[in-house]
Amino acid sequence: MGHELWLVKGGTMTNITPIIGSISWKSNIDELGDQIDFDIAYNDSRFHPKNPCDLGDMVILKNGDYEITRSIIVDETKQGRDPITYTSYDFAFYLNKSNAVYQFNKITADQAIKKICKDFNVPIGKIVSMPTKINKIFNDKKVSDIIKEIIGMAEQKQGIKYLMEMRQGKLFIEKQSDLIIKGTFKLAKNLSEVDVTAAISNPSKKRSITDMINSIQIVSNDKLILTKENSSLVNKYGKLQKVVSLDQDEKRSASQIAQNELKQLAKIVEETSIELLGDDRVKSGRLLQLKEPITGIVGTYLIKDVGHTISGGFHKMSLGLEVK
């Protein structure tokens, strides 16, 4: 069974795949939520099926029994007799479009995020323990940005990278290191699965020190607490410094925070793009292992963004990657 798009109205699910012209979906690590785009052929003939889609409706993209993502239709475009195009976003849409004020008084990062989700009726699938204490006022900020900042504070303190994504309408926040995937595809139902990385096309790689940080200064109450740096990178590329401000309670962790910052930032940034045959499990924020000898794309890569397209029943994807 191939990809299908189901429309949900109330308690009724309708398979609208037969009237869909094309489907594409994408995710980006800098944004919270997946996007699905699809179009429906326009025909004013009385024998042509009536378009059942409307703004606010839910659509679910499936491949057999596997649910890829579900989303809410937010945009509809009609132009003459061209196909009607729709854009839909998963439930993180409400967190991206809403502002709020929060004051957290020394509660853990995961508790703070759970509080936000409860206030905005966002179902939780799993949020791992993040013991970093949050003691801050967030004043009139986008809710998704508040969550990202809280996660960033936990990453800075603990030296752990987290992945945040929606699955089946629920929010998941997990350790990024637990989400290494191995994409596969089948040329035919009666053939065995093949690793998608065996058929890499259009590989491209760019290396840059533009975003490198090799020196960290920690300050508190306008006083310099300490400086940590990667001396070999400083000697080779010059000093590229970042200042991190801590409150009184965080001063005890200054050395660890500086070390964690260097661990994440003291490196040559390698940006890579490739095209592969499609696998529904490939989403931004996950990790993918690659070996492409011509350009030297070898190792474990972070998926920064991915776009999936289905045309003529053929599934392809374009990925933007960063070396882990």
Side-chain angles (χ1 to χ4, degrees):
M1 187 179 294
H3 292 83
E4 296 177 335
L5 193 64
W6 290 75
L7 178 70
V8 181
K9 283 181 176 285
T12 303
M13 289 183 62
T14 305
N15 186 352
I16 60 172
T17 311
I19 61 173
I20 297 295
S22 64
I23 304 174
S24 64
W25 65 101
K26 62 184 178 180
S27 59
N28 188 302
I29 197 169
D30 294 325
E31 300 172 4
L32 176 58
D34 292 351
Q35 176 180 333
I36 303 177
D37 296 296
F38 63 97
D39 61 62
I40 294 177
Y42 173 83
N43 193 318
D44 57 5
S45 167
R46 64 190 181 92
F47 299 107
H48 193 270
K50 182 181 177 181
N51 176 15
C53 298
D54 199 3
L55 297 178
D57 288 345
M58 181 194 299
V59 290
I60 299 178
L61 180 61
K62 302 178 69 176
N63 188 351
D65 294 329
Y66 177 70
E67 179 178 315
I68 301 168
T69 187
R70 62 179 63 187
S71 57
I72 303 298
I73 298 174
V74 299
D75 290 322
E76 174 190 73
T77 302
K78 296 180 179 179
Q79 188 170 350
R81 295 182 178 275
D82 291 342
I84 304 169
T85 60
Y86 290 97
T87 296
S88 62
Y89 295 98
D90 69 22
F91 290 177
F93 169 79
Y94 298 99
L95 301 178
N96 286 328
K97 292 298 182 180
S98 300
N99 281 35
V101 175
Y102 279 98
Q103 180 174 356
F104 296 115
N105 297 310
K106 297 182 180 180
I107 68 171
T108 63
D110 55 292
Q111 289 175 329
I113 295 172
K114 288 175 181 176
K115 162 66 174 170
I116 295 172
C117 290
K118 182 179 179 181
D119 290 346
F120 284 85
N121 298 313
V122 175
I124 295 172
K126 178 183 178 181
I127 297 179
V128 297
S129 173
M130 291 184 282
T132 300
K133 299 291 186 180
I134 306 300
N135 188 37
K136 183 172 181 176
I137 297 174
F138 299 90
N139 188 15
D140 191 23
K141 297 190 69 174
K142 188 183 296 184
V143 176
S144 58
D145 288 342
I146 295 175
I147 294 176
K148 290 176 186 176
E149 187 170 342
I150 291 171
I151 292 174
M153 294 166 71
E155 291 177 335
Q156 184 185 71
K157 184 71 176 290
Q158 297 165 220
I160 297 172
K161 295 294 289 183
Y162 295 98
L163 169 64
M164 173 174 58
E165 66 181 26
M166 300 293 293
R167 299 179 211 148
Q168 298 180 333
K170 297 179 181 179
L171 181 68
F172 286 75
I173 300 178
E174 298 169 282
K175 292 181 181 178
Q176 190 181 77
S177 58
D178 294 338
L179 291 161
I180 296 179
I181 59 172
K182 183 177 181 179
T184 60
F185 69 94
K186 280 187 175 184
L187 291 173
K189 290 183 179 180
N190 60 337
L191 297 178
S192 59
E193 292 185 336
V194 179
D195 189 339
V196 294
T197 63
I200 296 174
S201 60
N202 296 324
S204 173
K205 183 172 76 170
K206 174 186 176 183
R207 300 171 72 241
S208 174
I209 64 169
T210 302
D211 295 324
M212 175 189 289
I213 297 294
N214 53 32
S215 177
I216 301 292
Q217 284 193 333
I218 303 291
V219 300
S220 181
N221 296 326
D222 297 326
K223 292 183 179 180
L224 179 64
I225 305 300
L226 60 84
T227 300
K228 274 185 179 283
E229 61 184 32
N230 184 314
S231 56
S232 62
L233 293 182
V234 170
N235 291 336
K236 186 171 184 177
Y237 300 109
K239 183 174 288 190
L240 299 163
Q241 189 163 274
K242 176 182 178 181
V243 177
V244 177
S245 298
L246 302 181
D247 60 29
Q248 191 68 27
D249 294 331
E250 295 174 314
K251 284 173 60 177
R252 290 172 294 180
S253 304
S255 180
Q256 185 61 51
I257 289 174
Q259 192 61 45
N260 290 339
E261 286 284 290
L262 282 177
K263 180 181 175 182
Q264 296 296 329
L265 301 173
K267 61 185 179 182
I268 295 172
V269 175
E270 181 180 311
E271 295 182 351
T272 301
S273 63
I274 57 173
E275 294 179 3
L276 299 171
L277 295 175
D279 185 301
D280 302 325
R281 295 167 297 175
V282 176
K283 301 179 67 174
S284 65
R286 299 185 177 187
L287 303 176
L288 186 66
Q289 294 178 329
L290 294 170
K291 186 175 182 180
E292 201 290 309
I294 296 176
T295 54
I297 301 172
V298 178
T300 300
Y301 285 78
L302 169 67
I303 303 171
K304 295 189 67 179
D305 58 83
V306 57
H308 294 257
T309 58
I310 297 176
S311 179
F314 198 58
H315 183 188
K316 299 179 80 172
M317 54 189 182
S318 300
L319 295 84
L321 307 168
E322 183 179 294
V323 71
K324 187 73 176 84

